[in-house]
Amino acid sequence: MPSTNLKHQVEQEHSSSEPNLKGTLISVSVVGGFLVLSWLAVFGLFLAR
Amino acid sequence: MIAEKTGLSKADSRLVMSFMWVTFISLLIGGLMGLLQTLVRTGNFNLPFGIGYYQILTVHGVILGLVLTTFFIIGFQFALMAKTVGMTNKQRKWAWASFWVMLIGTIASAIMILLGKASVLYTFYAPLKAHPIFYFGLTFVVVGSWIACFVNFHQLYQWKKKHQGEHSPLLAFMVVINMLMWFICTLGVAATVLIQFIPWSLGLVGEINILVSRTLFWYFGHPLVYFWLLPAYMAWYAILPKIIGGKIFSDSLARLAFILFLIFSIPVGFHHQLLEPGIDPMWKYIQVVLTFAVIIPSLLTAFSMFATFEITGRQKGYTGLFGWFRHLPWKDVRFFAPFMGMVAFIPAGAGGIINASNQMNQVVHNTIWVTGHFHLTLATTVILTFFGITYWLVPVLTGRKIDKKINTLGMTQTIVWLVGMFFMSGSMHLAGLLGAPRRSAFSDYQGSAQAAEWIGYQYGQAIGGSILFIGILIMLYNFFYMTFKAPKGVEEFPIAEAPDGSEPTPLVLENWKLWIGITVVLIAFAYTIPFVDIIQNSPPGSPPFEWPIGNG
């Protein structure tokens, strides 16, 4: 029981110190998506030629 | 008093300003040549006084790609090292030696190009042969930069001796990584120039092994790109957070990204030679895979930048998914110029991945798409960041302050640059996809229908080039203003700190023997077998060609 409490406390401290990076996640996903799409576009050009 | 606040002595400032002067004189000369090239390529402009297209093309590439960049970077890095780990009088003397050796080399090579004796483009591919002084001049530039390398290494070594068990300052660590990479990669270009080009250009040997020379050039040529990019990353990681009122996202992540650049930037040169016969396709494949590994530290950087912006914005009380975006100092040129450089790096990076992919390379190889890519990476991402650095570095060095006027002019300059580059680089990319070649003067190719498709884009390049030249003139005015006219005062040398309560940086990140060892092993793995194969199975070497463009 005490160990569960400790775990819970550690989790709480951990989550409160983690910064909110949702905007970053979406931003880097958009960048990644752009890289993949532009790659596929030129690959399409290669196949078409 | 100024020295106390900026951390740079008068002697340090004089040294760094000398590098800045060469940088901005180079910008004017090289930029003018770029403008002339775009005008020639419209088909409606002829160069006066018998000046050749390939002559101005060589001036443009050498002066901007090699001279401007190297002088700015080495000067900027001396400023960072003096600020973070200090510079002794003896080190400063050697730093001056590096400046003069590089300058003598630059002048020697430039004279040969301007005389039309070295129209071999900045890649100086054999069998085009330039006057031997051109190659000696380039050797001096590289040797001068090596002196700077060893000054930087010695600066950090001395600091570490005094601060045993401590981590080196982040910026000093980054400078040393960049100079280590530079030293290792320039060994390749030094080898080809000293062993192949100089004896061949002097007539001591009759032939040159083309493939060996190009392989050694590209062993240097790709890390050269990262030598330009890493100082921009230094500013992004460790200076911009301070300008936006935040802290570094993670000291460890920044160091890891730089180590990955050191390891993966060099054994990748074959992706510039994908269509070159004589290299085993297996080794090209291996180097393409290694090239893709370089994407990792760039994506780490993208993540780190967004995270820095978001965390800082949220700490200032901005909420919502993208509310933090509004806190960024959009009206501060020290932030705006490098930020727009970052934005440009998204399409630039996408283009780079396309170039390095074997099949797609066949679509764009030797087309002006590559030139467009190059102008997004170097001439937008890197240069806009360098301009952004200039807006605080020059006032720091001259004991002046950035005022409202220069900030407004700087913002205008950045926008002019972006508009110009949109037209020029955009036209280059599109014309390249339609097959327009790079490195070539205007021609209608005997009225070919395909060449007729390119002309609109060539006008687009001339329009963009003209706008960019206006941007150069504004930047030069800004440089003069900050040097001589801006109000006297103390400008901040912005260096960001690691966040409070962050995990200590692992000591292994500063295990130089380990990272240099891995770098050397990877280079040996990627190059030894194919290089031996190239030497053993090469066709006969080529005699020099001085005509029509090399040394006419």
Side-chain angles (χ1 to χ4, degrees):
Chain A
M1 194 66 185
S3 70
T4 316
N5 275 344
L6 185 65
K7 197 179 161 197
H8 185 66
Q9 195 182 341
V10 169
E11 272 175 8
Q12 264 192 337
E13 277 177 16
H14 186 68
S15 62
S16 64
S17 66
E18 281 292 323
N20 179 354
L21 291 175
K22 280 184 191 160
T24 300
L25 176 66
I26 293 172
S27 304
V28 292
S29 303
V30 169
V31 172
F34 178 77
L35 296 181
V36 172
L37 283 179
S38 48
W39 193 91
L40 288 173
V42 181
F43 189 61
L45 206 53
F46 167 74
L47 291 178
R49 287 175 180 176
Chain B
M1 182 188 146
I2 288 173
E4 277 169 24
K5 291 209 175 174
T6 63
L8 294 182
S9 70
K10 235 180 177 175
D12 295 333
S13 300
R14 202 173 305 130
L15 170 75
V16 178
M17 268 308 278
S18 305
F19 282 92
M20 293 301 132
W21 272 104
V22 179
T23 300
F24 285 96
I25 292 168
S26 302
L27 179 67
L28 176 63
I29 299 170
L32 178 63
M33 298 301 137
L35 171 65
L36 293 175
Q37 281 166 65
T38 60
L39 296 178
V40 168
R41 286 174 67 100
T42 62
N44 282 322
F45 177 79
N46 292 317
L47 291 167
F49 315 119
I51 298 169
Y53 177 82
Y54 296 97
Q55 204 177 339
I56 61 168
L57 180 57
T58 307
V59 177
H60 180 73
V62 170
I63 292 290
L64 294 185
L66 301 178
V67 176
L68 177 148
T69 49
T70 310
F71 274 84
F72 183 89
I73 290 165
I74 290 181
F76 174 51
Q77 293 186 157
F78 275 139
L80 295 178
M81 294 300 276
K83 170 80 179 168
T84 56
V85 293
M87 182 181 264
T88 63
N89 287 337
K90 199 171 171 194
Q91 286 162 347
R92 198 176 305 106
K93 275 184 192 156
W94 279 106
W96 274 111
S98 85
F99 173 79
W100 286 112
V101 172
M102 281 169 61
L103 188 63
I104 290 167
T106 298
I107 292 170
S109 293
I111 289 173
M112 287 302 117
I113 303 169
L114 293 171
L115 290 174
K117 298 286 179 191
S119 300
V120 291
L121 318 194
Y122 97 102
T123 43
F124 56 89
Y125 272 2
L128 295 177
K129 195 194 99 172
H131 192 284
I133 290 176
F134 171 78
Y135 301 113
F136 278 112
L138 290 185
T139 307
F140 269 62
V141 174
V142 171
V143 170
S145 73
W146 283 352
I147 298 173
C149 285
F150 285 99
V151 172
N152 291 151
F153 298 159
H154 191 250
Q155 283 174 287
L156 186 62
Y157 173 75
Q158 281 212 321
W159 187 92
K160 292 286 280 184
K161 256 192 2 189
K162 284 183 205 153
H163 300 81
Q164 294 208 349
E166 287 181 40
H167 278 292
S168 53
L170 179 59
L171 281 165
F173 174 87
M174 290 169 155
V175 168
V176 169
I177 288 272
N178 199 27
M179 290 310 244
L180 259 176
M181 186 183 71
W182 177 250
F183 182 73
I184 296 171
C185 79
T186 45
L187 291 172
V189 74
T192 184
V193 168
L194 295 177
I195 300 169
Q196 293 191 284
F197 279 94
I198 288 180
W200 176 70
S201 68
L202 287 168
L204 300 176
V205 293
E207 293 175 345
I208 190 165
N209 185 323
I210 303 286
L211 191 53
V212 167
S213 73
R214 290 189 188 183
T215 302
L216 286 171
F217 180 86
W218 285 114
Y219 165 87
F220 150 81
H222 196 74
L224 169 67
V225 176
Y226 286 96
F227 176 69
W228 300 329
L229 199 56
L230 290 193
Y233 279 19
M234 292 174 201
W236 297 359
Y237 272 111
I239 286 164
L240 272 199
K242 176 78 174 176
I243 290 171
I244 66 168
K247 301 217 165 169
I248 295 168
F249 172 68
S250 162
D251 182 278
S252 306
L253 184 142
R255 286 178 205 249
L256 176 67
F258 269 64
I259 288 169
L260 292 176
F261 278 120
L262 170 69
I263 293 173
F264 290 120
S265 290
I266 305 170
V268 298
F270 283 171
H271 78 244
H272 289 263
Q273 298 175 281
L274 288 174
L275 295 193
E276 198 125 38
I279 302 172
D280 188 326
M282 182 62 186
W283 288 101
K284 287 181 181 172
Y285 169 74
I286 289 171
Q287 292 211 10
V288 163
V289 172
L290 289 168
T291 306
F292 273 64
V294 195
I295 301 168
I296 296 167
S298 277
L299 291 180
L300 287 178
T301 305
F303 167 76
S304 191
M305 292 305 109
F306 282 119
T308 304
F309 299 153
E310 183 167 7
I311 290 170
T312 310
R314 291 193 186 282
Q315 279 170 351
K316 288 182 180 175
Y318 289 84
T319 53
L321 205 51
F322 289 105
W324 47 273
F325 215 64
R326 276 182 290 141
H327 88 90
L328 295 168
W330 296 109
K331 290 182 180 169
D332 183 344
V333 67
R334 299 173 308 159
F335 165 77
F336 183 67
F339 180 84
M340 295 319 289
M342 285 180 198
V343 173
F345 200 53
I346 298 171
I353 297 169
I354 289 163
N355 298 342
S357 303
N358 187 57
Q359 289 87 338
M360 268 92 91
N361 191 269
Q362 294 173 47
V363 178
V364 299
H365 195 87
N366 269 347
T367 71
I368 202 160
W369 157 287
V370 179
T371 319
H373 163 73
F374 194 62
H375 281 82
L376 271 189
T377 50
L378 176 60
T380 311
T381 301
V382 171
I383 284 296
L384 278 183
T385 305
F386 287 0
F387 288 168
I389 292 166
T390 304
Y391 289 113
W392 56 263
L393 181 62
V394 170
V396 161
L397 300 173
T398 55
R400 293 174 189 276
K401 277 192 78 68
I402 176 170
D403 60 3
K404 204 174 167 198
K405 175 183 167 181
I406 205 67
N407 192 62
T408 309
L409 274 170
M411 297 290 293
T412 311
Q413 197 280 338
T414 308
I415 292 165
V416 168
W417 197 266
L418 290 167
V419 172
M421 201 55 84
F422 175 80
F423 282 109
M424 196 182 81
S425 177
S427 305
M428 285 174 165
H429 276 93
L430 292 171
L433 288 177
L434 295 171
R438 67 188 287 206
R439 296 183 174 127
S440 51
F442 176 79
S443 170
D444 67 358
Y445 297 90
Q446 297 177 319
S448 109
Q450 191 183 1
E453 291 178 6
W454 307 331
I455 189 69
Y457 296 108
Q458 282 162 209
Y459 274 98
Q461 290 162 36
I463 292 165
S466 306
I467 298 170
L468 282 165
F469 191 68
I470 294 169
I472 286 174
L473 295 178
I474 301 172
M475 191 62 216
L476 287 171
Y477 175 78
N478 293 351
F479 177 71
F480 276 103
Y481 184 84
M482 288 186 287
T483 306
F484 298 114
K485 297 271 184 196
K488 295 218 168 187
V490 181
E491 185 64 43
E492 180 193 27
F493 195 127
I495 295 183
E497 293 167 358
D500 301 324
S502 56
E503 293 281 327
T505 304
L507 277 170
V508 70
L509 291 176
E510 228 169 319
N511 187 337
W512 294 103
K513 283 180 193 158
L514 174 67
W515 305 121
I516 295 171
I518 293 175
T519 305
V520 172
V521 167
L522 211 52
I523 292 168
F525 162 70
Y527 271 109
T528 308
I529 294 174
F531 201 67
V532 169
D533 182 41
I534 289 168
I535 292 172
Q536 283 186 337
N537 298 305
S538 281
S542 173
F545 284 80
E546 298 189 72
W547 185 89
I549 62 170
N551 184 359

